[in-house]
Amino acid sequence: MSEDRFLDGRITLTQPDDGFRAGIDAVLLAAALNAKPGERLVELGCGAGTASLCAASRLTGCHFTGVDIDPDMVALAEGNADANAMADRVGFALGDVAEPANWGPADQVFFNPPFFDDPKSMRAPKAGKTRAYLTGHTVLADWIAAARKTLKPRGRLTVIHRADRLGDLLFLLNARWGDVVVKPVHPRADAPAKRVIVAATRDAKGPLSMLPPLVLHDGAGGQYSAEADAILRGKAGLVL
């Protein structure tokens, strides 16, 4: 296990050395959440709890529940909540997206799903990382369906995914979802987007909006842009 710091050191997390390790995607997902005090938010596939705990550090009046299929990760996430003095409003539970249980009703659901449905589309990941990269017995449609089942009417879904899965996401959100917002994330201004953050409202009818992109790095030096640096340090959120 290793100890990692997020949001300029305000969040400390224990993560597996060899298994899936959360990074910038989890922080961006957390930054994309905006909620009113008293709202309840559910994270599907929470892993060690990175996104939930990063979001909870900013949304201090909200309650979070993280769900994961791996009992070891649930136990690790619970320990991370204790270590960051958030166990009173950030909890974790064992659950399978393919068989959603009573995780709601939630005001918001968010997740960073496994990136690949087809194991032939990528090189086999290292042991301990398979569930993080391959959906296994689930596909992206199962994650969207689980989110819908968990949300209240007019509840909000927020997802970060590979940019080349945007078409799949929009197809799945075409029915019974609305007010869809897409935020592309580019490594540099002159490079194609690698990620998209997509938000949608259950049972809404509003049109799709494409927002200006978030550019992570300025120039060729590898430095974070001012906007990305503020987000990764927890000094700013993303407005969707």
Side-chain angles (χ1 to χ4, degrees):
M1 295 290 178
S2 67
E3 188 176 276
D4 302 292
R5 296 182 181 274
F6 295 84
L7 305 185
D8 226 12
R10 292 201 300 279
I11 300 294
T12 301
L13 289 138
T14 299
Q15 300 194 86
D17 284 323
D18 298 323
F20 174 71
R21 298 173 57 79
I24 188 173
D25 286 356
V27 178
L28 294 177
L29 177 60
L33 301 173
N34 295 281
K36 299 175 183 176
E39 286 194 8
R40 182 164 178 267
L41 295 87
V42 173
E43 181 186 7
L44 305 181
C46 64
T50 308
S52 286
L53 291 169
C54 286
S57 72
R58 180 170 53 88
L59 304 173
T60 56
C62 298
H63 292 265
F64 292 79
T65 300
V67 178
D68 202 276
I69 196 172
D70 187 338
D72 292 334
M73 296 305 289
V74 171
L76 192 59
E78 290 175 335
N80 285 330
D82 281 332
N84 287 279
M86 293 187 189
D88 59 331
R89 57 190 184 88
V90 184
F92 297 93
L94 189 65
D96 186 347
V97 167
E99 300 177 5
N102 292 326
W103 306 328
D107 298 285
Q108 299 193 44
V109 170
F110 59 104
F111 57 81
N112 176 13
F115 279 173
F116 299 91
D117 292 341
D118 182 358
K120 293 180 289 186
S121 64
M122 63 173 290
R123 185 174 60 188
K126 292 182 180 179
K129 295 187 178 183
T130 301
R131 282 194 181 125
Y133 291 99
L134 288 169
T135 52
H137 68 296
T138 64
V139 293
L140 184 57
D142 296 321
W143 290 72
I144 300 294
R148 181 175 177 82
K149 182 174 181 179
T150 303
L151 283 168
K152 297 177 180 178
R154 305 285 300 184
R156 192 73 165 155
L157 167 66
T158 306
V159 182
I160 187 168
H161 211 330
R162 290 173 18 226
D164 62 358
R165 296 299 304 270
L166 177 59
D168 297 326
L169 279 167
L170 295 180
F171 175 80
L172 293 168
L173 296 172
N174 185 54
R176 302 191 295 173
W177 298 85
D179 297 332
V180 178
V181 178
V182 178
K183 180 83 170 179
V185 181
H186 295 250
R188 299 182 313 278
D190 60 352
K194 293 292 189 181
R195 298 286 185 269
V196 287
I197 302 170
V198 178
T201 301
R202 177 186 161 175
D203 303 322
K205 297 184 182 297
L208 180 147
S209 299
M210 183 70 72
L211 299 182
L214 169 66
V215 177
L216 295 179
H217 300 282
D218 282 333
Q223 298 296 317
Y224 283 117
S225 66
E227 182 182 10
D229 186 70
I231 291 167
L232 296 176
R233 291 179 182 274
K235 297 178 179 179
L238 276 168
V239 179
L240 297 187

